[in-house]
Amino acid sequence: MSGFRDYLPALLARFPRLLWRHPADVPWPKLDWAVVKPAGAEKQAEEYPALAGDLAVWEGELEGRFRKLDHQAQLMQNQFWRQNIMLIGGGLVATTLGAVQSANGGGLAGVAIAQAVLTGLLVGLTVLIRARHAQQGYLTCRLKAERIKSEFFLFLARVGDYSDGDPRARLLQRVGDIEAAEATS
């Protein structure tokens, strides 16, 4: 089923959602895309007999961990965009109030007070945005999710660290290390 956003121009379709509160640790059926085709163990064993066990590792042990980070990244990205839209919109209103004040030759106390209050709120919002580190959180979660996906594909190809020993155990260890990694600023 198509959503309303499917028919909007790209600029508006990517516009941040103002009241978007999905939990990060549950599936988002309309927004998630498959990394590995969810065909079920029996069908995968028929289509890719050599990879059936490895593909089951993604479905059983990695996909939930990847999705949680992917969802957190999307939520943080939306938060970052939303905050910037608020700053842009507030700046536009403050500029418009200044233009009105200038066009009337000054002396409009109500407009001056509104502009001063709005500008003060924008300064406070800017400080809040910088303190929340939404962009850094987005980039960190996105990097972790993509690294998990990358490690899985290296595991499937049996290259690098996965060419000998116990590749499944090594993969799970690497994914745990990726999840535990702290963001550096």
Side-chain angles (χ1 to χ4, degrees):
M1 182 172 176
S2 297
F4 173 71
R5 286 182 174 262
D6 295 341
Y7 300 104
L8 292 174
L11 178 65
L12 296 177
R14 298 291 298 159
F15 201 77
R17 293 167 173 91
L18 298 179
L19 301 173
W20 196 43
R21 302 279 183 229
H22 286 293
D25 53 352
V26 296
W28 298 356
K30 293 183 178 182
L31 300 174
D32 286 341
W33 47 270
V35 174
V36 174
K37 186 169 71 170
E42 302 84 30
K43 187 168 179 159
Q44 288 176 353
E46 291 173 13
E47 289 183 27
Y48 314 106
L51 295 176
D54 293 344
L55 293 172
V57 170
W58 175 263
E59 198 171 331
E61 300 185 47
L62 298 181
E63 186 169 21
R65 297 159 88 173
F66 168 79
R67 289 288 170 214
K68 183 176 180 182
L69 288 167
D70 181 53
H71 293 166
Q72 286 174 343
Q74 290 181 51
L75 291 169
M76 296 296 286
Q77 182 182 43
N78 190 70
Q79 177 185 344
F80 176 69
W81 287 351
R82 186 176 54 232
Q83 291 168 345
N84 284 309
I85 290 296
M86 289 173 26
L87 284 177
I88 292 168
L92 177 66
V93 172
T95 303
T96 303
L97 290 173
V100 167
Q101 183 76 299
S102 179
N104 287 315
L108 299 175
V111 173
I113 291 171
Q115 185 180 20
V117 168
L118 179 58
T119 305
L121 289 174
L122 288 174
V123 168
L125 180 61
T126 303
V127 170
L128 177 69
I129 288 171
R130 290 184 60 81
R132 293 180 91 184
H133 302 290
Q135 184 179 27
Q136 183 67 32
Y138 157 68
L139 293 173
T140 300
C141 289
R142 172 60 42 221
L143 177 63
K144 287 181 179 183
E146 295 303 324
R147 285 190 62 204
I148 288 174
K149 191 168 51 170
S150 175
E151 287 296 325
F152 177 69
F153 289 128
L154 291 173
F155 164 77
L156 279 180
R158 293 293 194 269
V159 297
D161 293 342
Y162 303 107
S163 60
D164 59 352
D166 184 3
R168 184 179 170 277
R170 189 167 289 128
L171 172 66
L172 296 177
Q173 175 63 43
R174 296 287 299 262
V175 168
D177 293 345
I178 291 168
E179 290 174 323
E182 291 295 319
T184 58
S185 19

